[in-house]
Amino acid sequence: MYWRNWQIGLVFGIPIKVHPSWFFVFLFVTWTLATGYLPVALPGLTSPRYWVLGAIASVLMFVSVLLHELGHSVVALRYRIPIGQITLFIFGGVAHMKREPPGPLAEFLIAIAGPIVSFTLGAFCFGLESFVGLLQGTSHLRGLLVLSGLLAMVNINLGVFNLIPGFPLDGGRALRAGLWALSRDFHTATSQASLIGVGVAVLIGIAGGFLIVGALTGALPGALATNGLWVVIIGAFLFATARHSRRQAMVRASLAGVPVSQLMVRMVVDLKPEMSLEQAVNQCFLPYGYSGFPVVEGAKLVGFLTVRDVQGVPVSLWPWRTVGQLMTPASPALVIQANSPVTMALDLMVQQGSDRLVVLDDDRVVGLVTRSAITHFLQLHSPQSERGG
């Protein structure tokens, strides 16, 4: 089932979104603080006040996570890497970079920026806690004292946890930067870092299992059973993401060095700007079944028309509207050169959310490259297909 993310703001031009799972962990953390931690650390308050303080602390924790991800994003933007969005979800947050860093140093600096922000916030909160502690005679500051101490621990732990050398954690990305500098090959470095990440995830899962077994057998405090369960869940999440990253690295390694011209469709059906939508539908969309067609005037690409463009016009107006009126004008986002690597085409499709690009040889249209063609190429050249004959 697809769960939609909700946008809650815009920072530095980056959309900030929350996944529905965030609400679950927000409520869980608020409940844990209001019924467990705060009554012990701050005795004598009413239950509603504990819940309010718990909710405030939960929001501030996720603000800390957001600032951590903004640390990554600001450095990435300095390297002209677009950030699609920052998403807060059950395991924290993630900044969606639309392309990979240009080199190992950029990768390292982007990776390390998040933990640096977390450690800085932790130090600030520890300083605030010490300052408020000097004013202990002022009873109404007790809540601030507890919250600052809690946020200091959260940020320090967030920074330390992310430095674990398990890809795709920040420590794993810093490790990839080092491996990249040594091997001079991004895809090899990603595969190696992901493999190490799988091992780290297994160790985290085993550690969580020991906590659960120890708590259930009485060898450890019973309260550690819940902590152990969370550790196992985090280990499983890291295991899944590290394996996915390794597969992605293998896919990209398979495509390395393959030019777009090797995969493109050479028999291009194109549209003319003066054609009516009715002609375009009857002569091209229905017979060929493609989701879009290039629009060519003379020998020059002038635009692209998709099924979605056609669907936005009532059928009764198809004879009176032209392709040139509805097409998306040609731009670098729609085209790729024939000698470009397939990985570049794939990155461009992901960035633009498209499933095909027009292939040019200089300014002349020579073909189309599609996601399905890339997928078919990978299926034919995968080890499984070789073993299966």
Side-chain angles (χ1 to χ4, degrees):
M1 181 177 64
Y2 176 75
W3 285 359
R4 180 184 176 188
N5 296 332
W6 284 282
Q7 183 168 330
I8 59 173
L10 204 68
V11 181
F12 302 130
I14 304 170
I16 311 299
K17 298 186 178 184
V18 293
H19 187 269
S21 62
W22 178 86
F23 294 97
F24 165 76
V25 75
F26 170 78
L27 292 173
F28 177 79
V29 171
T30 300
W31 171 76
T32 302
L33 293 174
T35 60
Y37 178 81
L38 290 175
V40 173
L42 199 60
L45 301 182
T46 62
S47 180
R49 291 192 67 183
Y50 285 131
W51 279 93
V52 171
L53 284 175
I56 293 173
S58 297
V59 169
L60 291 176
M61 286 181 186
F62 277 98
V63 169
S64 299
V65 173
L66 174 59
L67 292 173
H68 177 105
E69 297 303 327
L70 282 172
H72 295 307
S73 302
V74 168
V75 179
L77 289 173
R78 290 185 64 86
Y79 282 97
R80 301 185 184 279
I81 300 173
I83 307 296
Q85 65 185 54
I86 293 176
T87 305
L88 301 177
F89 67 117
I90 190 169
F91 292 114
V94 61
H96 302 269
M97 294 189 294
K98 288 192 172 183
R99 64 170 178 263
E100 300 294 351
L105 179 60
E107 168 76 339
F108 176 79
L109 293 177
I110 292 170
I112 208 69
I116 287 176
V117 170
S118 294
F119 289 135
T120 302
L121 288 173
F124 172 78
C125 290
F126 270 130
L128 181 61
E129 181 187 26
S130 300
F131 175 74
V132 174
L134 298 176
L135 307 174
Q136 285 184 0
T138 311
S139 59
H140 64 273
L141 293 178
R142 289 190 305 148
L144 180 58
L145 178 68
V146 171
L147 285 180
S148 57
L150 176 63
L151 289 173
M153 289 190 300
V154 166
N155 279 284
I156 295 299
N157 288 334
L158 180 62
V160 171
F161 175 75
N162 272 278
L163 287 178
I164 294 174
F167 195 84
L169 292 175
D170 299 336
R173 298 185 74 93
L175 174 63
R176 178 172 71 171
L179 294 171
W180 187 1
L182 290 174
S183 67
R184 307 280 184 183
D185 188 293
F186 174 78
H187 306 305
T188 299
T190 302
S191 181
Q192 293 171 343
S194 300
L195 184 60
I196 295 172
V198 169
V200 170
V202 170
L203 292 177
I204 290 175
I206 291 174
F210 275 122
L211 288 177
I212 294 173
V213 172
L216 293 178
T217 57
L220 295 173
L224 290 179
T226 302
N227 294 339
L229 178 61
W230 274 105
V231 171
V232 169
I233 293 173
I234 291 172
F237 172 75
L238 291 177
F239 180 83
T241 52
R243 283 194 65 191
H244 176 72
S245 299
R246 182 167 169 78
R247 288 197 193 100
Q248 290 291 95
M250 294 173 67
V251 166
R252 298 180 75 86
S254 299
L255 296 174
V258 179
V260 168
S261 57
Q262 186 173 331
L263 277 70
M264 70 182 185
V265 177
R266 297 179 182 275
M267 296 182 62
V268 182
V269 178
D270 58 55
L271 305 175
K272 305 301 178 186
E274 64 273 11
M275 291 176 67
S276 69
L277 288 188
E278 186 176 56
Q279 290 175 315
V281 169
N282 292 333
Q283 296 177 20
C284 296
F285 283 97
L286 290 179
Y288 294 99
Y290 298 154
S291 62
F293 294 88
V295 183
V296 177
E297 187 171 25
K300 184 180 179 182
L301 177 73
V302 294
F304 202 83
L305 188 72
T306 67
V307 169
R308 185 173 297 180
D309 297 327
V310 176
Q311 289 173 338
V313 179
V315 177
S316 60
L317 296 180
W318 285 1
W320 317 110
R321 302 295 295 273
T322 65
V323 168
Q325 292 173 327
L326 271 295
M327 70 180 185
T328 300
S331 70
L334 296 174
V335 301
I336 190 87
Q337 293 296 320
N339 60 354
S340 299
V342 173
T343 50
M344 183 182 295
L346 194 58
D347 288 340
L348 194 55
M349 290 182 198
V350 171
Q351 291 173 27
Q352 303 301 325
S354 62
D355 62 355
R356 63 189 59 231
L357 297 173
V358 181
V359 184
L360 301 181
D361 187 358
D362 292 328
D363 290 331
R364 185 170 54 90
V365 177
V366 294
L368 288 174
V369 62
T370 65
R371 287 199 194 199
S372 59
I374 297 173
T375 301
H376 186 58
F377 175 87
L378 290 171
Q379 290 172 342
L380 291 175
H381 292 79
S382 68
Q384 289 83 354
S385 65
E386 292 173 7
R387 288 196 298 266

